[in-house]
Amino acid sequence: MFTFQRGLLVTALLSAVATRAYDLRQDTGGLAIYWGQNSLSLQTDEKEEEQDLEDYCNMDTPPDIILLAFHHVFTENPQINLSKHCDKYFKSSQMLDCTSLAPQIQACQEKGIKILLSMGGASGAYSIKDSATADTYAQTVVDTYLGGNSSDVERPFGDAVLDGVDLDIEGGGDTGYAEFSNKLREISPDSLITAAPQCVFPDAMLGDALDNGWVDAVFIQFYNNHCNAGTEDFNFATWADWAKTTSKNPDVKLYIGSPACEACASTGYLGADKLAEVYNDAKSNSSDVLGGIMLWDAGAAYYSESGGTPIAQQLKQDVLETTSSGGSSAEPAESASASASASAQSSELVSSALNKRAPESPKTIVGRAAMPNPGGHGAKHPNYQTGDPYEG
Ligand SMILES: *[C@@H]1O[C@H](CO)[C@@H](O)[C@H](O)[C@H]1NC(C)=O
Ligand SMILES: *[C@@H]1O[C@H](CO)[C@@H](O)[C@H](O)[C@H]1NC(C)=O
Ligand SMILES: CC(=O)N[C@H]1CO[C@H](CO)[C@@H](O)[C@@H]1O
């Protein structure tokens, strides 16, 4: 009996060691989920709420990528909104102080899960004025959320260094995002850059960024539109063609984006079985460009009203299987511990910059009460086809 238990322990240890970081640039069969906006509370009259970030990383079937939603006010006074997960502000700015989330972010990263910041959302007062602003803003984003070393910014996640940024631009014009992503890649080459366009091709807000900027992966929202997954107009093949012929990144990965529940989007919910069919069909045509599945959003993805198996768990158990496409690189995939030590290194960089920070000077707090609801992910897009700003 004792030997048997010890055997189990050894197996457990070995499998812990064998866990490796999800390599968003090469791996396929991944699950990406948005976390932060707590759409679950809207569907269940607040009886159920999205759990803490770390809870999702500790699931038996955790996601491979988590997108923090959202950074929704850009440039002058950058702001984020994580609904109920963070409601404390730094003393002298409009930036949320979510430093209490830092240990959770780091714990997730140590498990090999990539944590990205999603910029944009279905509503929010954001836009980039011109190319010069795009360049400056790329540096601000690197300093504020990634491995930048400026001491002049408030870092909402403290010494946690996020793995990259996601452009979920759904309004405010298409200016500057190609420059932004190219500049960000130049300043911080290890940071991942993703985008979450609507399925209509080309995307009104992100078409230029996708053609002329660098992206590592694209989380396509195949919902709220006539090109939804599961319809006759489903246009994954068009996107796959874009990936193979036009993308600046020849290894770009496409994720099929789907609502995690009926109420998570206006249209396009499929459920695990239909989504699996769609995914497997796309895989049989385009396994080289298919990265995996994206779900909006975390609370709903890991919750089942009927008490059945939640959709995220079903997909991870039965449909998705992480494989490394390897590309031309012969190097072994980055190990979880290597990635943890890399992020520990950048954390050191950041904490030394933080320690050098000058005493804060008081600034005026303006417009906090007017913060718009960053809301959902393409929740209602009456003007999508025209590219006009949304009503939010
Ligand atoms: C797969 O390829 C067939 C034949 O070219 C095409 O009709 C179909 O739309 C493709 N499906 C996907 C999901 O790409
Ligand atoms: C985030 O947005 C929601 C919806 O508008 C709002 O109720 C909430 O107060 C915002 N959170 C913070 C901390 O500002
Ligand atoms: C990532 C980043 O912004 N690194 C900068 C840290 O500071 C040095 C010196 O000021 C810059 O050269 C790096 O680009």
Side-chain angles (χ1 to χ4, degrees):
M1 188 64 189
F2 174 70
T3 321
F4 175 65
Q5 279 181 339
R6 200 173 50 168
L8 274 185
L9 181 67
V10 170
T11 314
L13 284 175
L14 281 177
S15 68
V17 170
T19 305
R20 61 172 194 83
Y22 186 76
D23 182 346
L24 188 138
R25 289 188 170 140
Q26 294 198 340
D27 290 352
T28 59
L31 177 66
I33 56 169
Y34 283 83
W35 175 90
Q37 286 301 312
N38 190 19
S39 82
L40 188 59
S41 70
L42 301 175
Q43 299 145 36
T44 57
D45 295 328
E46 297 184 21
K47 283 198 295 282
E48 299 291 336
E49 302 245 25
E50 190 166 68
Q51 298 176 42
D52 289 345
L53 180 67
E54 200 177 354
D55 292 338
Y56 295 103
C57 301
N58 290 334
M59 296 278 174
D60 288 340
T61 51
D64 302 286
I65 302 154
I66 299 180
L67 303 136
L68 307 180
F70 287 108
H71 166 40
H72 68 302
V73 179
F74 301 173
T75 60
E76 308 296 303
N77 290 298
Q79 291 170 43
I80 58 175
N81 180 296
L82 296 173
S83 68
K84 64 152 194 165
H85 300 292
C86 178
D87 57 7
K88 209 173 100 199
Y89 289 86
F90 285 115
K91 239 188 267 154
S92 54
S93 73
Q94 294 173 70
M95 183 52 99
L96 283 178
D97 175 355
C98 315
T99 45
S100 60
L101 280 176
Q104 294 195 38
I105 292 169
Q106 288 159 338
C108 292
Q109 288 171 326
E110 272 161 34
K111 288 176 183 287
I113 298 166
K114 294 285 182 272
I115 310 287
L116 277 69
L117 176 76
S118 187
M119 299 175 53
S123 45
Y126 57 80
S127 64
I128 293 183
K129 204 170 67 197
D130 51 29
S131 306
T133 314
D135 280 4
T136 318
Y137 204 54
Q139 183 68 55
T140 303
V141 165
V142 169
D143 291 338
T144 310
Y145 307 103
L146 309 177
N149 44 24
S150 161
S151 55
D152 295 337
V153 296
E154 305 277 20
R155 286 180 63 89
F157 305 111
D159 64 359
V161 175
L162 301 187
D163 295 297
V165 295
D166 170 55
L167 296 171
D168 180 16
I169 307 305
E170 306 195 20
D174 68 346
T175 307
Y177 296 105
E179 290 87 349
F180 173 86
S181 65
N182 290 331
K183 187 68 181 180
L184 193 135
R185 183 169 159 82
E186 183 191 316
I187 309 169
S188 183
D190 291 340
S191 296
L192 301 166
I193 304 170
T194 64
Q198 318 284 303
C199 55
V200 179
F201 188 92
D203 184 83
M205 296 296 141
L206 286 165
D208 175 56
L210 289 168
D211 286 355
N212 301 307
W214 182 275
V215 283
D216 295 296
V218 187
F219 306 115
I220 307 159
Q221 298 183 43
F222 288 109
Y223 43 95
N224 294 328
N225 275 297
H226 62 86
C227 43
N228 287 355
T231 69
E232 266 183 25
D233 291 348
F234 179 51
N235 62 348
F236 185 82
T238 306
W239 284 94
D241 187 56
W242 169 83
K244 290 172 196 165
T245 60
T246 312
S247 171
K248 282 183 74 174
N249 174 6
D251 293 321
V252 67
K253 298 285 183 281
L254 306 181
Y255 286 67
I256 295 178
S258 195
C261 70
E262 192 89 54
C264 293
S266 308
T267 61
Y269 173 67
L270 292 177
D273 294 345
K274 289 265 359 231
L275 182 54
E277 271 175 40
V278 168
Y279 177 79
N280 287 326
D281 181 40
K283 193 172 167 183
S284 64
N285 280 10
S286 314
S287 62
D288 45 341
V289 297
L290 183 63
I293 290 176
M294 172 273 275
L295 293 176
W296 173 270
D297 59 352
Y302 284 92
Y303 173 77
S304 164
E305 197 145 25
S306 65
T309 310
I311 185 168
Q313 197 179 330
Q314 283 189 56
L315 294 171
K316 282 283 284 188
Q317 279 170 353
D318 305 334
V319 185
L320 296 167
E321 193 184 324
T322 303
T323 49
S324 181
S325 64
S328 48
S329 159
E331 281 177 37
E334 178 191 29
S335 74
S337 61
S339 126
S341 86
S343 85
Q345 271 174 15
S346 6
S347 301
E348 271 166 36
L349 197 67
V350 171
S351 11
S352 67
L354 286 175
N355 292 338
K356 280 188 294 207
R357 174 174 295 177
E360 284 163 5
S361 56
K363 291 176 215 148
T364 328
I365 300 172
V366 261
R368 180 174 300 164
M371 175 176 282
N373 181 3
H377 206 230
K380 282 191 212 103
H381 287 166
N383 301 328
Y384 178 73
Q385 301 295 343
T386 62
D388 290 341
Y390 310 126
E391 288 159 19

